[in-house]
Amino acid sequence: MDSFEVIPTGGALGAEVRGLDLRSKLDGETVRVLRGTFLDHCVLFFRNQEISQEDLVRFTRYFGRPVPHVRPQPDRPIEEIFVISNVTEDGKPIGALGSEEIPFHSDLSYLPEPGTISLLYALEIPDEGGETMWANGYASYEALHPDMKARIDGLNAVHRHPIDTLNTPEPTMHPVVRIHPETGRKLIYVSPHLTHHIADMEREGGQALLDELITHATDTRFVWKHRWQVGDLIMWDNRCTMHRRTPFDDRQRRVMWRTQVFGEGTS
């Protein structure tokens, strides 16, 4: 097995993995241990990587099947790569998502088959801003009062994207309390960006409950912030975390490659 070191962040989740060069193929035992480490920490990051798009897609395959993102992008040589950037060339954006804040969300929860694992690799970063923060859905659920756990057990929430054309014709619903299909642990699965309302509840009371859950789930006790460096590769588990991006000056360049796994092992 390729040796590597795992250094927890000391925050609510996340760990750094040292000792692996992701340009190289990993053996089966290394992948098995790395997968277990990922399930334990929810977010893993690898510093000082110099990888190609082919390397990123190959590494992603150790955790599932990488697929092209559902959002349209310019033609690109490797379709599994989703470019996240605020940069324009010849008057056209080279990627998506600009420079504004993106509130907490779990990737693609507005789809019936939501995101499972996301990976993001930094090529260019701004001098300030553009950090990513993750919230631990396990920890926030476990910290709920037993009465609240009983209250939300069995409830479903409707998830919708603010851009209506990205939504499915029928409302997408997911459990408010989700059970991770691999760990069997319970977690809170709502977000301020993509959760629209609690199903089968009167709107005012449902909104009050949703607001209370979101305020709780995004409390600083359950959140860890990553300050990017060029060469960082981060992977996260959308089934048990949500994340947000802080805004940055649009005059500063931010260019990242992302791959996405969904539809494998999801509940």
Side-chain angles (χ1 to χ4, degrees):
M1 188 183 88
D2 297 318
S3 61
F4 61 87
E5 185 180 7
V6 178
I7 299 94
T9 64
L13 74 176
E16 180 182 1
V17 176
R18 296 179 183 173
L20 293 179
D21 182 345
L22 302 185
R23 294 172 297 183
S24 303
K25 293 182 179 179
L26 303 181
D27 64 80
E29 182 62 12
T30 299
V31 172
R32 186 190 69 79
V33 175
L34 197 58
R35 286 181 64 96
T37 302
F38 177 60
L39 292 174
D40 288 342
H41 294 282
C42 306
V43 178
L44 295 180
F45 66 97
F46 308 77
R47 295 276 199 198
N48 303 313
Q49 299 294 319
E50 297 182 7
I51 59 174
S52 66
Q53 292 191 357
E54 292 86 352
D55 294 329
L56 178 55
V57 172
R58 184 187 64 248
F59 182 73
T60 303
R61 287 198 181 102
Y62 296 137
F63 302 91
R65 181 173 59 89
V67 295
H69 198 280
V70 297
R71 295 183 64 163
Q73 283 252 284
D75 290 338
R76 53 206 187 278
I78 299 180
E79 290 189 346
E80 295 89 347
I81 298 291
F82 182 63
V83 179
I84 294 178
S85 179
N86 65 318
V87 176
T88 59
E89 294 180 356
D90 299 323
K92 297 180 180 179
I94 67 169
L97 303 184
S99 61
E100 300 299 320
E101 176 188 3
I102 301 176
F104 272 113
H105 64 285
S106 178
D107 284 336
L108 307 175
S109 72
Y110 59 92
L111 298 177
E113 202 169 56
T116 302
I117 299 170
S118 299
L119 297 92
L120 194 58
Y121 176 64
L123 291 93
E124 300 182 56
I125 59 171
D127 294 333
E128 293 184 17
E131 299 97 349
T132 306
M133 305 165 73
W134 281 269
N136 187 330
Y138 293 141
S140 58
Y141 175 79
E142 290 162 2
L144 287 173
H145 190 278
D147 290 346
M148 177 60 83
K149 289 180 180 178
R151 182 182 177 192
I152 63 177
D153 185 43
L155 292 179
N156 292 299
V158 174
H159 293 239
R160 291 187 64 80
H161 198 283
I163 301 174
D164 194 55
T165 54
L166 295 177
N167 291 304
T168 55
E170 296 297 322
T172 294
M173 289 198 299
H174 299 296
V176 171
V177 178
R178 191 177 185 186
I179 299 176
H180 194 289
E182 293 190 74
T183 67
R185 297 176 65 186
K186 290 185 175 181
L187 59 117
I188 298 175
Y189 193 70
V190 296
S191 73
H193 187 43
L194 298 178
T195 305
H196 189 264
H197 65 273
I198 305 292
D200 300 323
M201 284 190 72
E202 173 268 325
R203 185 57 62 97
E204 184 176 345
Q207 188 61 51
L209 175 60
L210 182 58
D211 291 345
E212 183 177 356
L213 286 173
I214 286 172
T215 298
H216 173 78
T218 57
D219 186 276
T220 55
R221 290 175 292 164
F222 314 123
V223 174
W224 167 72
K225 178 192 287 187
H226 181 74
R227 292 177 173 83
W228 289 90
Q229 299 178 14
V230 171
D232 282 356
L233 173 64
I234 299 191
M235 57 184 297
W236 65 91
D237 191 337
N238 286 292
R239 298 165 293 183
C240 57
T241 70
M242 56 179 165
H243 58 285
R244 68 176 285 258
R245 184 186 74 189
T246 64
F248 60 97
D249 187 339
D250 196 48
R251 295 169 296 182
Q252 298 262 321
R253 292 170 62 99
R254 189 177 190 265
V255 182
M256 298 189 164
W257 295 336
R258 179 175 136 184
T259 52
Q260 181 77 54
V261 172
F262 66 90
E264 299 188 21
T266 57
S267 61

